[in-house]
């Protein structure tokens, strides 16, 4: 899976440039495989980005500004949602990627899986113990019925 970051390389806005640099710099720091797609010099990239940003995520004028982030064809978000994910330490989830081994997110994921496995194993053990333990009440009833039947026969 390749992360696609739509950028405007020749933007006149310093705010947009800073946002783009922030996204790219953070992805590089995390060693995330990504591709930069320029919307300023490539009309196809600009049209694809505009068509694939969900309507509810587009600004009131209908034209989304860079940076816009996708995981292949799947929309991840814009700078604000990226920033929120960064603040929440959930960038990998935001990008739709599994956290790398050894990372905090990966460790938490492993703990959850271990807890799930432990719960499943405990449940299986309980079921096995219930199957193996004879039900004393049932055995007592059977003996009583046998004795009653013998008494009646005599």
């Amino acid at each position: 899976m390749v992360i696609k970051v739509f950028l405007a390389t020749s933007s006149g806005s310093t705010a947009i440039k800073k946002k783009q640099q922030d996204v790219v710099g953070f992805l590089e720091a995390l060693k995330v495989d990504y591709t930069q797609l320029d919307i300023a010099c490539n009309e196809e990239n600009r049209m694809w980005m505009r068509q694939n940003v969900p309507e509810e995520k587009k600004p009131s004028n209908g034209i989304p500004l860079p940076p816009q982030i996708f995981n292949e064809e799947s929309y991840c978000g814009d700078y604000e949602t990226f920033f929120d994910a960064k603040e929440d330490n959930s960038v990998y989830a935001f990008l739709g990627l599994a956290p790398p081994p050894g990372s905090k997110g990966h460790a938490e994921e492993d703990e959850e899986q271990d807890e799930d496995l432990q719960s499943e194993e405990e449940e299986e053990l309980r079921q096995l113990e219930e199957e193996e333990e004879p039900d004393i009440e049932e055995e007592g009833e059977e003996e009583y019925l046998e004795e009653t039947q013998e008494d009646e026969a005599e």
Side-chain angles (χ1 to χ4, degrees), residues 49-66:
M49 181 193 81
R50 287 183 179 177
Q51 290 170 354
N52 289 283
V53 170
E55 285 300 319
E56 65 273 8
K57 300 292 183 176
K58 291 182 181 178
S60 57
N61 68 2
I63 301 171
L65 297 174

Side-chain angles (χ1 to χ4, degrees), residues 22-150:
D22 188 26
V23 169
V24 168
F26 199 74
L27 293 176
E28 286 177 358
L30 293 177
K31 296 184 169 85
V32 171
D33 187 26
Y34 72 96
T35 302
Q36 293 184 36
L37 299 165
D38 187 13
I39 64 167
C41 299
N42 187 317
E43 186 64 26
E44 285 179 27
N45 288 343
R46 180 184 6 236
M47 294 308 296
W48 191 93
M49 181 193 81
R50 287 183 179 177
Q51 290 170 354
N52 289 283
V53 170
E55 285 300 319
E56 65 273 8
K57 300 292 183 176
K58 291 182 181 178
S60 57
N61 68 2
I63 301 171
L65 297 174
Q68 296 292 330
I69 306 159
F70 290 80
N71 182 335
E72 296 291 340
E73 311 296 311
S74 177
Y75 183 70
C76 298
D78 58 6
Y79 177 77
E80 282 71 28
T81 52
F82 173 80
F83 182 82
D84 291 343
K86 189 169 97 170
E87 290 295 307
D88 294 339
N89 289 323
S90 61
V91 172
Y92 289 103
F94 166 79
L95 296 172
L97 300 174
S103 71
K104 181 181 176 186
H106 193 272
E108 289 170 1
E109 208 173 80
D110 285 348
E111 285 177 18
E112 287 175 13
Q113 289 174 352
D114 288 347
E115 288 172 7
D116 290 345
L117 282 175
Q118 189 175 3
S119 296
E120 288 174 15
E121 289 172 355
E122 288 172 358
E123 182 61 29
E124 287 174 11
L125 274 174
R126 270 191 230 108
Q127 289 175 354
L128 283 174
E129 288 172 357
E130 288 173 5
E131 289 172 8
E132 289 175 2
E133 286 181 14
D135 191 346
I136 296 169
E137 288 180 17
E138 285 180 16
E139 277 187 6
E141 286 176 23
E142 287 174 18
E143 288 175 14
Y144 175 76
L145 288 174
E146 287 174 13
E147 289 174 7
T148 310
Q149 289 171 350
E150 287 174 8

